[in-house]
Amino acid sequence: MRNVWRELSGLLLPVACAGCGRPRTELCAVCGAALSGGPARRVRPSPGPPGLPAVYAAAPYENAVRAVLLAHKERGALGLAGALGRALAGCVRAGTGQPGGAATPGRAGALRAAPPLLLVPVPSARSATAARGHDPVRRIAVAAARELRRAGLPARVLPLLRQRREVADQSGLGARQRRANLAGALELTAAGERLLRRGFLRHDRVILVDDLLTTGSTLAEAARAVGEGRRADREPSVRGGCRAAVVAASPSAFEINRN
């Protein structure tokens, strides 16, 4: 019901760009270009946590991009999920070697026959989801999967991870403190364990997704949880393992990778 009221209010009340405040548009062309106007790039924080998979991001987390992500996440601007999902889809394509997203005629059959990409959202704490009234990462992942299917890449969202214990608020914590805070905090859901047992979960098709990369601790913990399930089921090693995609990353993560 809360989401319905938010969507109705977006139709009835004056709209302004979430990135810059320009009137009569939820996301103006300039801020949209800041979000997904360029190619997705490989990013990494410094220091990088052990076990962090390869991560691709659409834009630095600053200025209009930061404002758009916060509007969707904290203020319930649900209409922004489509634009954020398109940005995330570009990162998934980059991470899987399909930066353009379109299948060529010679490869179309192979793409259709391939197992779908499995977008696994990093789970939020139940208290945070309840307070916000929605799960922002999962909502963006659903939009990204839709965009990927339009581009000819089979994809679906599988919420395979859950928190096994409470964690402290990450804001204000340094890289080392975040790693300690999240160590062992995630595990596979019962559905994820069943998929592994039945051989339906191929780790080379798993893409961990989140809205933001800062220290990398959350994605490293998610990769650990998926990897533990893989070892427990003795799945044959798959070259490359799981990868990760985020909408935005700290500006320093872009600069470090460039250097």
Side-chain angles (χ1 to χ4, degrees):
M1 181 62 70
R2 185 184 303 179
N3 291 345
V4 172
W5 281 114
R6 281 174 173 168
E7 291 175 2
L8 286 175
S9 66
L11 295 173
L12 300 175
L13 299 176
V15 176
C17 174
C20 66
R22 183 174 297 178
R24 293 190 295 278
T25 179
E26 192 166 36
L27 183 66
C28 73
V30 174
C31 294
L35 183 64
S36 57
R41 288 173 46 195
R42 176 86 178 266
V43 293
R44 60 184 177 90
S46 181
L52 181 68
V55 185
Y56 286 81
Y61 184 63
E62 59 186 359
N63 304 326
V65 172
R66 180 178 183 274
V68 170
L69 274 170
L70 288 175
H72 175 262
K73 186 174 189 173
E74 305 296 351
R75 297 197 294 278
L78 305 184
L80 296 170
L84 294 168
R86 284 190 292 274
L88 184 63
C91 301
V92 173
R93 289 194 293 264
T96 56
Q98 296 288 333
T104 61
R107 297 194 62 189
L111 284 173
R112 283 195 295 269
L117 294 171
L118 306 177
L119 307 190
V120 178
V122 171
S124 299
R126 289 183 181 180
S127 58
T129 300
R132 292 172 180 141
H134 74 123
D135 186 335
V137 176
R138 186 170 180 176
R139 186 179 293 274
I140 295 170
V142 168
R146 188 183 307 120
E147 185 72 17
L148 290 166
R149 290 192 296 270
R150 287 198 196 105
L153 288 171
R156 59 181 298 196
V157 176
L158 285 179
L160 299 179
L161 294 172
R162 65 185 175 192
Q163 288 194 346
R164 63 161 57 135
R165 62 169 177 81
E166 290 293 324
V167 297
D169 187 353
Q170 297 273 80
S171 59
L173 298 182
R176 183 176 299 177
Q177 293 169 313
R178 289 191 178 206
R179 287 199 297 271
N181 185 39
L182 290 166
L186 301 181
E187 64 181 358
L188 285 175
T189 63
E193 292 174 353
R194 286 195 299 271
L195 288 172
L196 270 178
R197 284 197 299 270
R198 296 172 184 174
F200 295 150
L201 186 58
R202 280 183 46 179
H203 287 74
D204 63 327
R205 307 301 290 173
V206 170
I207 311 292
L208 302 171
V209 296
D210 205 351
D211 55 353
L212 175 64
L213 171 83
T214 50
T215 67
S217 299
T218 304
L219 286 172
E221 170 59 17
R224 181 209 59 77
V226 172
E228 270 196 4
R230 172 181 175 179
R231 288 190 295 274
D233 261 55
R234 298 179 182 178
E235 179 192 344
S237 177
V238 179
R239 185 177 180 181
C242 68
R243 287 149 288 181
V246 297
V247 176
S250 58
S252 62
F254 281 86
E255 293 299 326
I256 291 166
N257 193 62
R258 181 184 296 124
N259 295 335

